[in-house]
Amino acid sequence: MRAGDNNQTSTETDKWKFLGDVISRGDLREGLCVCARFLEDGDMFTVDWLIGELRAMVSVSGEPIQRLGAYAVEGLVARLASSGSAIYKALRCKEPVLPASMELLSYMHLLYEICPYFKFGYMSANGAIAEAIKEEKRIHIIDFQISQGTQWITLIKALAAQPGGPPHIRITGIDDSTSAYARGGGLNIVGKRLTMLAQEYEVPFEFNAVSGVPSSEIQVENLKIQPGEAIAVNFALTLHHMPDESVGTQNHRDRLLRMVKGLSPKVVTLVEQESNTNTAPFFARFVETLNYYSAIFESIDVALPREHKERINVEQHCLAREVVNIIACEGAERVERHELLGKWRSRFTMAGFKPYPLSSHVNGTIKALLGEYSGKYTLEEKDGALYLGWMDRHLVSSCAWR
């Protein structure tokens, strides 16, 4: 036996002693990170062993890290098997079976109610839009992911009550496959709902549905711009799905911003998850995903009991697919590509935009909203943007541009 063999044996012994210690201590977070590190290094024998140990430590009804850990392990397994995309699609419930689609809609609605993330985004964006178009008679709101149209209910009601009467509102809604599946049909469902609401509040209203075109491939002609209308563009939790220069030659992320700037909008609102998973290498991305989603799962833990069946469904159908996609997929198949606000700021600046600071009235409204939730939520105003956080971690940022 050569001296080098002795060193290798000693290193291998130390490795297994360390791994045994991590597992015996029940340190799930460290175990997950170590497994991701060995996967990145290509040590598949150790990864296989660790996954078997980790599976015994996770639980979809346990503590927040155990619940998140269950989905992180599935992400690691999928990456190992190069099947991340297939699992992501399965978790999106893509096959249109109506009862399941209604269930998905109810899970999305429950998440909307128990955590303030969506309401924070919608209220801050609406506040900026209302401020920017307050003198206008004809407004055109372009929503790059209209989902169920929930965001616009409060804005239509607010504009109906403004002095001098409401403006003429036209909303262009751009669809996405998950939202279409959840609502069990096309954008005509959203258009009908908003039209009925506008009629009830005597607001002149039109709805322009853009179906069958992915939001990343939208062109100006899809938007049916009319002369004399004030344009507001809304990017609520959607721009991170657009592929950028790191994915391929077609940088849709920056192309869309340049196209929108060419419309001369009164305001463009951006709401995004404050996480850095776009271009980070695998291990750094894995750790960032654990840290970010741990805070999300902890905030859900405060809102719903652990054994609550609907909570398990909310996490599985609304969050697990994101976790699996970030961990398991690469290239065009990785569609969850979050960036920090600093990076978005440089993209908007390069496209020719200038910041449109959110008003103190918007801040006050959101502070009142957070009063209805756990005291562990935080709100910070910084450089004209708002950050919603859980304890010491920023989770969602909101800002506006023109």
Side-chain angles (χ1 to χ4, degrees), residues 3 63 71 89 101 106 140 173 217 309 318 327 333 352 368 390:
E63 294 179 10
Y71 304 122
K89 284 172 182 167
S101 77
S106 74
H140 182 182
E217 294 174 22
K309 185 176 184 299
C318 302
I327 293 171
E333 289 190 333
W390 176 258

Side-chain angles (χ1 to χ4, degrees), residues 141-166:
I141 298 168
I142 301 166
D143 189 344
F144 270 82
Q145 186 176 302
I146 197 163
S147 300
Q148 314 310 322
T150 309
Q151 177 173 351
W152 308 117
I153 294 172
T154 51
L155 186 65
I156 289 171
K157 290 179 181 178
L159 293 175
Q162 73 177 14

Side-chain angles (χ1 to χ4, degrees), residues 73-99:
V73 167
E74 289 312 309
L76 291 168
V77 169
R79 186 178 182 87
L80 198 59
S82 301
S83 62
S85 178
I87 290 180
Y88 180 72
K89 284 172 182 167
L91 286 166
R92 284 175 74 191
C93 306
K94 229 179 170 187
E95 295 304 314
V97 182
L98 197 58

Side-chain angles (χ1 to χ4, degrees), residues 4-242:
D5 294 337
N6 267 330
N7 290 342
Q8 193 172 357
T9 304
S10 170
T11 305
E12 194 71 7
T13 303
D14 289 346
K15 178 184 86 172
W16 287 102
K17 185 174 180 299
F18 166 71
L19 292 176
D21 181 53
V22 169
I23 298 301
S24 64
R25 278 189 286 114
D27 192 335
L28 178 55
R29 183 182 290 273
E30 188 173 0
L32 289 164
C33 290
V34 167
C35 188
R37 176 66 85 188
F38 280 113
L39 181 53
E40 185 173 65
D41 293 343
D43 185 347
M44 299 314 169
F45 179 80
T46 306
V47 170
D48 274 342
W49 181 83
L50 269 170
I51 282 171
E53 297 296 319
L54 292 169
R55 276 193 160 142
M57 298 166 71
V58 301
S59 166
V60 294
S61 57
E63 294 179 10
I65 187 60
Q66 289 180 296
R67 305 197 312 265
L68 173 58
Y71 304 122
V73 167
E74 289 312 309
L76 291 168
V77 169
R79 186 178 182 87
L80 198 59
S82 301
S83 62
S85 178
I87 290 180
Y88 180 72
K89 284 172 182 167
L91 286 166
R92 284 175 74 191
C93 306
K94 229 179 170 187
E95 295 304 314
V97 182
L98 197 58
S101 77
M102 294 306 291
E103 286 171 15
L104 180 57
L105 187 57
S106 74
Y107 304 148
M108 292 163 76
H109 182 71
L110 184 58
L111 184 62
Y112 175 84
E113 290 298 335
I114 63 173
C115 298
Y117 307 120
F118 294 102
K119 289 180 184 174
F120 161 80
Y122 293 169
M123 287 172 72
S124 54
N126 284 357
I129 291 170
E131 182 79 19
I133 53 91
K134 62 186 173 190
E135 305 295 332
E136 304 293 338
K137 296 301 178 195
R138 295 184 65 82
I139 63 171
H140 182 182
I141 298 168
I142 301 166
D143 189 344
F144 270 82
Q145 186 176 302
I146 197 163
S147 300
Q148 314 310 322
T150 309
Q151 177 173 351
W152 308 117
I153 294 172
T154 51
L155 186 65
I156 289 171
K157 290 179 181 178
L159 293 175
Q162 73 177 14
H168 181 283
I169 304 172
R170 193 152 67 93
I171 294 180
T172 289
I174 296 157
D175 212 357
D176 67 287
S177 58
T178 303
S179 299
Y181 174 73
R183 81 174 81 90
L187 281 176
N188 60 305
I189 296 171
V190 177
K192 194 176 293 184
R193 183 185 303 142
L194 294 177
T195 300
M196 287 172 67
L197 179 79
Q199 285 172 349
E200 182 185 344
Y201 283 84
E202 298 181 346
V203 175
F205 182 80
E206 286 179 64
F207 186 77
N208 172 38
V210 180
S211 303
V213 183
S215 50
S216 61
E217 294 174 22
I218 291 293
Q219 304 293 336
V220 174
E221 51 267 28
N222 299 125
L223 305 175
K224 298 183 179 173
I225 305 297
Q226 295 175 3
E229 57 186 15
I231 295 172
V233 177
N234 186 56
F235 289 113
L237 301 170
T238 185
L239 260 185
H240 69 270
H241 288 140
M242 311 295 169

Side-chain angles (χ1 to χ4, degrees), residues 220-264:
V220 174
E221 51 267 28
N222 299 125
L223 305 175
K224 298 183 179 173
I225 305 297
Q226 295 175 3
E229 57 186 15
I231 295 172
V233 177
N234 186 56
F235 289 113
L237 301 170
T238 185
L239 260 185
H240 69 270
H241 288 140
M242 311 295 169
D244 72 345
E245 67 279 3
S246 67
V247 180
T249 52
Q250 286 187 304
N251 181 356
H252 288 298
R253 200 168 287 202
D254 290 338
R255 179 193 72 80
L256 274 179
L257 293 182
R258 290 193 300 271
M259 181 191 81
V260 165
K261 179 60 181 169
L263 304 176
S264 302

Side-chain angles (χ1 to χ4, degrees), residues 277-317:
T277 63
N278 183 24
T279 56
F282 169 68
F283 180 70
R285 192 168 81 230
F286 183 88
V287 173
E288 170 76 351
T289 302
L290 267 194
N291 292 338
Y292 182 85
Y293 284 93
S294 287
I296 299 273
F297 276 63
E298 283 167 19
S299 71
I300 293 175
D301 206 48
V302 169
L304 286 176
R306 286 181 190 169
E307 65 282 358
H308 197 296
K309 185 176 184 299
E310 296 304 286
R311 183 197 52 69
I312 296 172
N313 285 325
V314 163
E315 290 175 347
Q316 182 181 348
H317 293 291

Side-chain angles (χ1 to χ4, degrees), residues 354-396:
K354 289 187 167 49
Y356 184 89
L358 299 172
S359 73
S360 56
H361 173 68
V362 173
N363 302 1
T365 306
I366 289 167
K367 278 180 186 161
L369 166 74
L370 291 185
E372 301 169 17
Y373 293 89
S374 167
K376 292 182 179 179
Y377 285 106
T378 60
L379 184 68
E380 184 182 354
E381 183 183 3
K382 188 174 160 188
D383 301 327
L386 284 178
Y387 294 86
L388 174 64
W390 176 258
M391 298 175 68
D392 57 352
R393 168 88 203 206
H394 288 155
L395 294 176
V396 184

